[in-house]
Amino acid sequence: MCGIGGKLSFTDPSGDALGEAMADCMPQRGPDDRGVYVSDPVVLAFRRLSILDLTPAGAQPMASDDGRYRIVFNGEIYNYRELRERLDGYSFDSGSDTEVLLAAYEEFGVDCLEHLRGMFAFAIWDEDAERLFLARDRMGQKPLFYRHDPGTESFWFGSTVKTLLSDPAVEAQPDLPAIREFLTYGYVPGPATGFTGITSLGPGEYVIVDEDGLRQDSYWSISFRRQFDDSPAALAHRLRDKLREATRLRMRSDVPVGLFLSGGIDSTIVAALMDSLTDRPIETFSIGFDESAFDELDHARTVADTFDTNHHEYTVTTDSVEVLPKLVSEFEVPFGDPSALPTYYVAQVATDDITVALNGDAGDENFAGYDRYRYDRLAGYASRIPRPLRETARDVAADLPPSLQARRELQHARRFLRGANGDPVERYAEFICHALGDDLRGAWNDDAGDTDGTDELATMREAFRNADGPTRLDCLLQVDIETYLPDDLLVKADRATMAHSVEGRSPFLDHELVEFAARVPAKYKYRDGEAKWLLKRAFAPEIPDSILNRSKQGFGVPVTEWFRGDLRVFARGKLERLGAREPFDRGALQGLLDEHAAGRADHGYRLWDLTWLECWFEQFVDD
């Protein structure tokens, strides 16, 4: 795990100063070493977090034996040992996966991507051809930002946005359409970033840049079209083998390895597999809350006791939200998932004991674990009720007294009714979006924002059009894997862990496992009202019954309570300043906070989005 950056310009080459500035921007991504390579017209910058081969032999930028190629690489190639054995004719000076990756590119060119099993973002400079090749892993675990200016024939890239902004030629300007999407989804859908002219390379994509310009293409995509016809028992056996192998590969490390343990089924399965793969107690780390409805520490302790782990805990309190500006700095993009806060803190707790942390991320997307899949199914049934009856129920709910309107159960019911009245995309949007329709327009002046008439669900509609699964549930899973997973969940996992120089790894993100899960029929993922049916059957013998049979809690955060408590004063000041910016409505923003604080409505997530956004403007746009 590292940080990379660079610039290629055929008209405005840069020198050591830019390379050093780029490396200076990302110390947390690589506290162990740094390196800069300059050779007109390219600059490469690197920060190292040592995971494999801790000696100087693994330093970067790394050169090929003949000096033609230079690589900067962020991530892990989990099958590097197996790939190394296949690369006949190459002599290796290190035990690093970086050297294997460079040799694979020499051997296979762009097709090297087909041989990689891991998470990565890397750039390889071809000195002879004056060509830069960049690629990102299939699932989008490692970030890679870039800016291309055809007018000056210049191209910038980096693991962080700050890397690009370290060049005075790159300005931080807000991308208002992308910010509007952020307020809808709670994240900025890729390839947008919230910054005008700065793009995120998509999962499973690569870019080639030379004097002829920029060429971008995809080398992988997920498909749900072909389904297995095996029995559930056979599929469960294959699933066990694949997840065990994915876990074994992710335990490869020359530094201490542990596990972020939530007490849910996914991280518990990873705990069971790790325990079976080592003869030493594993280090586990969990986060809890003072608010009992959000606290899972008791469940995590049950798992820790079952596998006799060395267990560590931390409780997030209201005072912890003071770290919000720090989170904004680390994440760099508008980001509305409050679970970034506990993820940040669990990484902080872990950093004294481990450098690599496994987790259960993507278990829900692969095996239908989210409650929203069940809600969508129920809304589909409700949509068959005659429309006049549905609309009457919706109107009655809307006319209830404010004291009832604020109840979380009623808000869920209203979203359910709105979803039942919408088309299939709008139905799902009700369960996943932070603000839609009037809720969004009430705080955003479309005329001022130059987004009048914009389809707020355009990104989601495109994802649904591309989904090829045979059932509605397959399509929902595919949409989440291609949108929510890379743009929300994996952004959170990468930024929150790297803020403390900890590398996060998830066996459920192994692309071979993801491909396998996509072919498992939906009827074995959600069956008889039970989510993750096949996954639970596959690992039932190892999992405590109290974990196996508990309902999903999710990594929730008590933002509703926080914005009625100590965070309210902080938020009021931020919303006052945000309201002075175009295209926001100051009165509407303050009204949201007042309504929430008085208990007349629950705007917790929207207030988190808006408070974060003002912090983002102050740190990245105003400076």
Side-chain angles (χ1 to χ4, degrees):
M1 184 74 69
C2 304
I4 65 174
K7 179 181 179 181
L8 171 63
S9 180
F10 294 98
T11 62
D12 183 27
S14 301
D16 291 340
L18 177 59
E20 295 294 341
M22 287 183 160
D24 287 344
C25 286
M26 44 186 175
Q28 77 285 2
R29 299 194 75 92
D32 299 326
D33 194 14
R34 59 184 287 148
V36 172
Y37 174 76
V38 179
S39 176
D40 186 17
V42 75
V43 174
L44 302 177
F46 176 74
R47 295 295 298 236
R48 184 183 187 190
L49 176 62
S50 301
I51 303 291
L52 297 173
D53 191 341
L54 311 185
T55 73
Q60 300 181 41
M62 183 181 288
S64 60
D65 286 342
D66 60 5
R68 174 175 176 174
Y69 302 103
R70 299 272 175 170
I71 184 172
V72 284
F73 163 50
N74 169 30
E76 302 292 342
I77 307 300
Y78 297 122
N79 65 331
Y80 75 100
R81 294 177 185 172
E82 293 79 5
L83 185 53
R84 177 172 173 157
E85 292 177 357
R86 295 167 50 198
L87 293 168
D88 296 332
Y90 289 88
S91 60
F92 295 93
D93 298 322
S94 75
S96 72
D97 53 347
T98 306
E99 191 174 14
V100 175
L101 173 56
L102 186 56
Y105 181 74
E106 289 187 82
E107 179 74 13
F108 303 113
V110 173
D111 290 340
C112 72
L113 298 169
E114 304 294 336
H115 301 271
L116 304 181
R117 189 173 181 179
M119 56 178 184
F120 51 82
F122 64 85
I124 296 177
W125 171 244
D126 183 336
E127 194 80 52
D128 292 354
E130 292 195 326
R131 180 181 300 120
L132 190 64
F133 172 67
L134 304 97
R136 192 176 179 206
D137 66 76
R138 295 169 178 84
M139 303 306 299
Q141 296 173 77
K142 294 296 98 189
L144 189 56
F145 301 102
Y146 72 85
R147 176 182 174 87
H148 181 228
D149 184 354
T152 63
E153 297 184 70
S154 297
F155 178 87
W156 299 259
F157 70 91
S159 298
T160 69
V161 173
K162 294 188 188 77
T163 309
L164 280 66
L165 297 178
S166 64
D167 189 336
V170 180
E171 297 183 3
Q173 297 291 335
D175 179 353
L176 291 183
I179 291 171
R180 192 182 194 277
E181 283 200 290
F182 159 68
L183 294 175
T184 296
Y185 297 105
Y187 59 82
V188 178
T193 62
F195 295 89
T196 299
I198 296 179
T199 299
S200 176
L201 186 64
E205 293 184 347
Y206 67 87
V207 163
I208 297 173
V209 190
D210 55 23
E211 282 193 291
D212 292 330
L214 180 148
R215 299 178 297 285
Q216 184 168 333
D217 205 349
S218 173
Y219 67 92
W220 184 86
S221 63
I222 189 68
S223 174
F224 283 66
R225 183 178 297 111
R226 296 175 57 229
Q227 301 282 289
F228 293 123
D229 57 7
D230 306 56
S231 69
L235 290 173
H237 180 76
R238 293 175 63 185
L239 173 57
R240 285 179 60 89
D241 288 345
K242 284 190 172 294
L243 198 48
R244 180 181 175 85
E245 173 71 0
T247 302
R248 183 185 68 81
L249 290 174
R250 281 155 183 78
M251 292 177 70
R252 286 179 170 174
S253 172
D254 294 331
V255 293
V257 177
L259 170 67
F260 290 166
L261 183 63
S262 70
I265 185 70
D266 303 326
S267 63
T268 300
I269 288 172
V270 177
L273 290 168
M274 292 179 70
D275 184 65
S276 71
L277 290 164
T278 182
D279 56 3
R280 293 177 296 178
I282 59 177
E283 302 285 337
T284 54
F285 305 85
S286 300
I287 286 291
F289 295 94
D290 287 336
E291 296 81 358
S292 59
F294 296 87
D295 190 79
E296 293 187 277
L297 287 180
D298 285 346
H299 300 292
R301 291 183 198 120
T302 297
V303 179
D305 290 342
T306 298
F307 300 108
D308 194 23
T309 74
N310 291 329
H311 192 55
H312 312 260
E313 296 179 351
Y314 180 84
T315 298
V316 179
T317 65
T318 307
D319 292 340
S320 299
V321 298
E322 295 176 359
V323 79
L324 180 58
K326 175 66 173 174
L327 282 176
V328 173
S329 177
E330 296 291 350
F331 277 64
E332 299 185 316
V333 298
F335 191 76
D337 187 341
S339 64
L341 185 66
T343 308
Y344 176 89
Y345 275 114
V346 74
Q348 185 179 70
V349 172
T351 191
D352 290 336
D353 297 282
I354 62 171
T355 306
V356 172
L358 273 65
N359 60 59
D361 286 353
D364 291 312
E365 289 81 2
N366 281 319
F367 297 101
Y370 291 126
D371 287 339
R372 60 178 178 257
Y373 302 138
R374 176 167 55 90
Y375 296 154
D376 180 86
R377 186 186 190 96
L378 294 174
Y381 294 145
S383 68
R384 301 172 188 173
I385 298 173
R387 189 176 188 91
L389 293 179
R390 300 197 313 264
E391 293 179 345
T392 297
R394 181 196 60 195
D395 294 340
V396 168
D399 291 336
L400 289 173
S403 59
L404 292 178
Q405 294 280 2
R407 292 177 63 90
R408 192 167 296 171
E409 297 84 356
L410 181 60
Q411 292 192 354
H412 287 325
R414 290 181 62 188
R415 297 180 73 179
F416 178 85
L417 290 168
R418 289 199 303 262
N421 282 312
D423 65 31
V425 176
E426 293 167 352
R427 187 170 89 205
Y428 191 53
E430 286 291 345
F431 303 121
I432 197 171
C433 292
H434 285 201
L436 290 167
D438 292 340
D439 287 340
L440 176 61
R441 290 187 289 272
W444 178 281
N445 184 336
D446 273 324
D447 292 334
D450 194 27
T451 53
D452 188 31
T454 298
D455 178 5
E456 60 189 353
L457 296 179
T459 295
M460 186 175 288
R461 293 188 197 282
E462 179 67 18
F464 269 95
R465 280 193 293 270
N466 293 334
D468 63 3
T471 71
R472 169 74 175 179
L473 179 57
D474 287 316
C475 291
L476 298 185
L477 295 173
Q478 188 168 356
V479 166
D480 277 353
I481 286 172
E482 295 183 348
T483 57
Y484 171 78
L485 182 65
D487 293 331
D488 185 315
L489 188 63
L490 299 185
V491 171
K492 175 188 68 178
D494 176 80
R495 309 309 191 273
T497 54
M498 287 310 301
H500 301 290
S501 303
V502 172
E503 176 175 287
R505 301 177 177 179
S506 177
F508 286 97
L509 286 165
D510 185 278
H511 81 271
E512 293 188 10
L513 178 73
V514 173
E515 291 172 341
F516 172 84
R519 298 186 62 188
V520 171
K523 64 183 179 181
Y524 298 145
K525 295 174 182 175
Y526 188 89
R527 185 167 186 169
D528 299 329
E530 184 179 3
K532 296 183 179 175
W533 185 85
L534 183 70
L535 182 65
K536 292 177 181 178
R537 295 300 172 276
F539 290 93
E542 291 89 353
I543 307 303
D545 288 342
S546 61
I547 303 298
L548 191 68
N549 299 319
R550 65 177 291 226
S551 59
K552 181 175 178 58
Q553 183 169 335
F555 205 13
V557 178
V559 290
T560 295
E561 293 78 5
W562 286 351
F563 280 107
R564 289 176 181 150
D566 293 345
L567 190 54
R568 178 175 58 179
V569 174
F570 177 80
R572 187 170 297 281
K574 295 300 180 184
L575 296 185
E576 178 74 19
R577 287 189 285 276
L578 183 63
R581 303 179 188 274
E582 293 288 356
F584 295 95
D585 184 317
R586 177 182 294 175
L589 296 182
Q590 293 298 329
L592 282 175
L593 183 58
D594 291 340
E595 193 175 48
H596 179 87
R600 297 193 301 272
D602 182 355
H603 299 306
Y605 276 80
R606 294 184 64 195
L607 291 171
W608 179 273
D609 295 345
L610 294 163
T611 304
W612 181 294
L613 188 59
E614 173 55 26
C615 292
W616 178 81
F617 270 107
E618 292 172 4
Q619 292 190 33
F620 289 96
V621 178
D622 295 346
D623 287 349

